[in-house]
Amino acid sequence: MSLFGRLRTVVLLAAMMVVMVVKASQDYGDALTKSILFFEGQRSGKLPSRQRMTWRKDSALKDGFQIGVDLVGGYYDAGDNVKFNFPMAFSTTMLAWSVLEFGKDMGADLPRALDAIRWGTDYFLKATSIPGFVFAQVGEPYGDHNCWERPEDMDTPRNPYAVSKQFPGSEVSAEIAAALAASSMVFKHVDLEYSARLLKRARMVFEFAETYRGSYNDALGPWVCPFYCDFSGYEDELIWGATWLFKATTDPTYSNYVVENVHKLEKSVMRNVNGLAYSSVGGSFAEFGWDSKNAGINVLASKHATTLSFLLVVYSRYLKQANRVVHCNNVVASPARLVQVAKGQVDYILGSNPLNMSYMVGYGKKFPQRIHHRGSSLPSVGQHPKQIGCKDGSVYFNSSNPNPNMLTGAVVGGPDIKDSYEDSRVDFVQSEPTTYINAPFVGVLAYFKSHPWS
Ligand SMILES: *[C@@H]1O[C@H](CO)[C@@H](O)[C@H](O)[C@H]1NC(C)=O
Ligand SMILES: *[C@@H]1O[C@H](CO)[C@@H](O)[C@H](O)[C@H]1NC(C)=O
């Protein structure tokens, strides 16, 4: 090659690198690592020696013991200390889906992602260990919300709540079945015995959910509503559970179930969202979140480019979170456009926004300091071993100081529609992180980590 040729190559490469540097606006690998680390901060129960978020300690070591059942473990849902199994199961399903789609792109974070899933599934095996019952929650929510206490100090009632044949809860049961089935696929090549146990339990729990139909809103009333009231009906979770069971087993019983029931769901979806033109099948936008699985069913049950659809689904989740609605009636967006839109959203969350602020704790230069989270906002047990009682936490809750413990990787509710963010502990809508915001984000970050220039 001539010198001129070489020079031209170098210039070309340099130009490409500039373009790449400009386009890779965020460090998705760093964000991915942190998004998974967050789950360690939400752990309930006996913490393992490989716990990295060390300001957290063992907590709630007797959950379930009052009725002779071991319900130790699982995740605290958000900034409080209740274990709400319905959104917890959704988060576990999403973590599993993230690993199934993007696990190969996760690198050193993959074992940690598996840990995060297993922390959920170990608990769900306990929550479904008695045939005919599914535990839906641990922790009396009113007592819990009335206190600002560290999980390690909790002295509020840790009541367990279960659904049963007589008082069924198909949405919570079917979502747990989905989590177990999806996770069984994740562990198939990692721990075959564990994977088989998860799958066996998933079948059993799905059968229970389907045979004894009803909503946990009715069975458990004020213990679950208004916290995680299931507004969208339980049919979507039953189909979602069957879809995951079909993926995990290829047993036609489950695909037949999906086909037979999806039309009913479609009608009910149309009725429920009166005015918002979308259908539950066919690939258009639909609701997706802890309480509504329609869009997820679309993606799983269809032959889309799944990877891209995952992004779309998760993107719709964020739109819902931000109370923004996209009307894309009669608009056909290209897959590239969808990825671009998803990337814009991810970048916004990570700091490409008018405030130049990352909404992930510990990521970037500027991020939320006063998240609505009991453990993060109170001095750690290591710093302050003495118990901090129910109302003794108020002084920390009201303080304008930054939180003393960093809940690394927590993605908060985020700014209002005008892009303003108060960074106030009191404003939980903006400043509270949840497991079900972080879980789908894990997969999206893994995608952009491996496709930073897309
Ligand atoms: C955000 O960053 C941009 C580009 O660096 C800058 O022009 C703008 O003033 C910053 N905005 C704030 C609120 O700091
Ligand atoms: C402090 O927080 C508690 C809630 O924990 C609230 O009821 C009280 O009004 C607050 N006090 C002040 C002075 O803001």
Side-chain angles (χ1 to χ4, degrees):
M1 196 190 285
S2 71
L3 253 187
F4 179 70
R6 281 173 206 277
L7 195 63
R8 197 175 51 184
T9 310
V10 169
V11 169
L12 256 175
L13 278 174
M16 276 167 68
M17 278 162 71
V18 167
V19 170
M20 282 174 174
V21 169
V22 169
K23 284 190 100 182
S25 33
Q26 299 295 340
D27 186 345
Y28 304 111
D30 184 42
L32 172 66
T33 303
K34 288 171 175 165
S35 70
I36 297 169
L37 181 57
F38 159 77
F39 287 88
E40 292 193 9
Q42 298 301 111
R43 282 173 171 175
S44 180
K46 175 98 188 121
L47 302 184
S49 55
R50 46 202 248 166
Q51 172 86 8
R52 295 169 295 172
M53 210 179 271
T54 49
W55 56 265
R56 280 294 327 283
K57 305 290 177 202
D58 298 349
S59 62
L61 295 178
K62 292 181 178 166
D63 276 359
F65 287 16
Q66 67 191 89
I67 53 160
V69 184
D70 176 3
L71 295 172
V72 175
Y75 288 110
Y76 300 119
D77 170 65
D80 57 358
N81 301 328
V82 180
K83 299 194 292 197
F84 289 105
N85 295 2
F86 184 34
M88 194 200 300
F90 171 72
S91 300
T92 306
T93 310
M94 291 311 295
L95 281 174
W97 194 5
S98 296
V99 166
L100 290 171
E101 290 291 335
F102 307 117
K104 61 180 185 323
D105 303 325
M106 287 185 180
D109 291 310
L110 179 60
R112 300 305 191 163
L114 296 183
D115 284 351
I117 295 168
R118 202 167 183 142
W119 198 265
T121 48
D122 280 350
Y123 170 75
F124 288 125
L125 287 173
K126 293 179 175 184
T128 57
S129 65
I130 308 173
F133 293 90
V134 167
F135 284 92
Q137 187 165 320
V138 181
E140 197 276 90
Y142 299 92
D144 184 280
H145 290 173
N146 190 36
C147 293
W148 196 258
E149 270 187 313
R150 301 178 295 201
E152 293 85 357
D153 286 338
M154 258 187 305
D155 48 10
T156 46
R158 298 296 294 169
N159 300 353
Y161 302 90
V163 295
S164 61
K165 294 176 182 177
Q166 203 183 348
F167 297 100
S170 296
E171 66 287 268
V172 63
S173 307
E175 184 65 57
I176 291 175
L180 293 167
S183 305
S184 80
M185 294 174 72
V186 167
F187 287 105
K188 203 166 175 180
H189 302 291
V190 181
D191 183 340
L192 190 58
E193 189 271 340
Y194 188 67
S195 165
R197 258 176 78 205
L198 295 179
L199 190 54
K200 191 175 169 206
R201 190 64 63 83
R203 283 179 179 271
M204 194 189 96
V205 175
F206 178 79
E207 165 108 31
F208 169 77
E210 162 54 26
T211 310
Y212 305 99
R213 280 170 162 251
S215 170
Y216 87 151
N217 295 356
D218 302 322
L220 298 174
W223 307 118
V224 296
C225 294
F227 311 101
Y228 290 100
C229 215
D230 181 23
F231 295 112
S232 69
Y234 54 76
E235 288 84 1
D236 54 334
E237 279 82 19
L238 284 169
I239 296 171
W240 172 245
T243 309
W244 277 110
L245 271 158
F246 176 66
K247 281 184 80 77
T249 61
T250 68
D251 178 344
T253 315
Y254 296 115
S255 53
N256 292 340
Y257 183 92
V258 172
V259 170
E260 279 163 25
N261 286 278
V262 86
H263 299 295
K264 288 183 219 158
L265 179 70
E266 190 172 13
K267 284 192 200 104
S268 74
V269 165
M270 285 304 190
R271 205 168 45 239
N272 285 348
V273 297
N274 185 29
L276 271 184
Y278 64 71
S279 69
S280 69
V281 285
S284 60
F285 258 108
E287 290 274 298
F288 189 65
W290 58 266
D291 66 335
S292 176
K293 309 294 142 47
N294 301 318
I297 294 165
N298 265 349
V299 173
L300 280 183
S302 67
K303 303 250 188 287
H304 296 165
T306 320
T307 310
L308 301 178
S309 306
F310 181 96
L311 296 178
L312 183 57
V313 162
V314 170
Y315 171 59
S316 71
R317 163 83 206 121
Y318 285 109
L319 287 176
K320 195 184 161 202
Q321 190 67 31
N323 291 320
R324 289 167 209 180
V325 176
V326 167
H327 294 278
C328 48
N329 305 348
N330 308 319
V331 175
V332 181
S334 69
R337 175 68 190 137
L338 297 180
V339 172
Q340 210 182 1
V341 168
K343 185 166 186 280
Q345 194 73 5
V346 169
D347 287 353
Y348 182 99
I349 292 166
L350 294 179
S352 308
N353 57 54
L355 295 179
N356 298 332
M357 177 160 184
S358 145
Y359 293 103
M360 175 185 279
V361 173
Y363 176 89
K365 289 198 192 77
K366 187 176 163 197
F367 51 81
Q369 300 293 325
R370 292 169 202 81
I371 61 170
H372 183 97
H373 190 277
R374 285 163 176 72
S376 170
S377 69
L378 291 159
S380 69
V381 175
Q383 293 293 314
H384 187 297
K386 210 166 151 254
Q387 191 190 19
I388 301 171
C390 172
K391 292 296 178 193
D392 299 335
S394 301
V395 57
Y396 300 99
F397 176 71
N398 289 330
S399 155
S400 58
N401 293 339
N403 287 5
N405 309 306
M406 208 194 294
L407 187 63
T408 306
V411 177
V412 296
D416 64 18
I417 196 85
K418 291 177 182 144
D419 292 309
S420 94
Y421 184 76
E422 294 301 322
D423 201 5
S424 157
R425 216 169 278 125
V426 180
D427 187 347
F428 64 88
V429 174
Q430 291 199 353
S431 69
E432 189 169 18
T434 66
T435 56
Y436 53 87
I437 293 180
N438 264 67
F441 206 41
V442 168
V444 175
L445 290 170
Y447 174 85
F448 285 113
K449 181 191 169 188
S450 61
H451 304 76
W453 334 115
S454 56

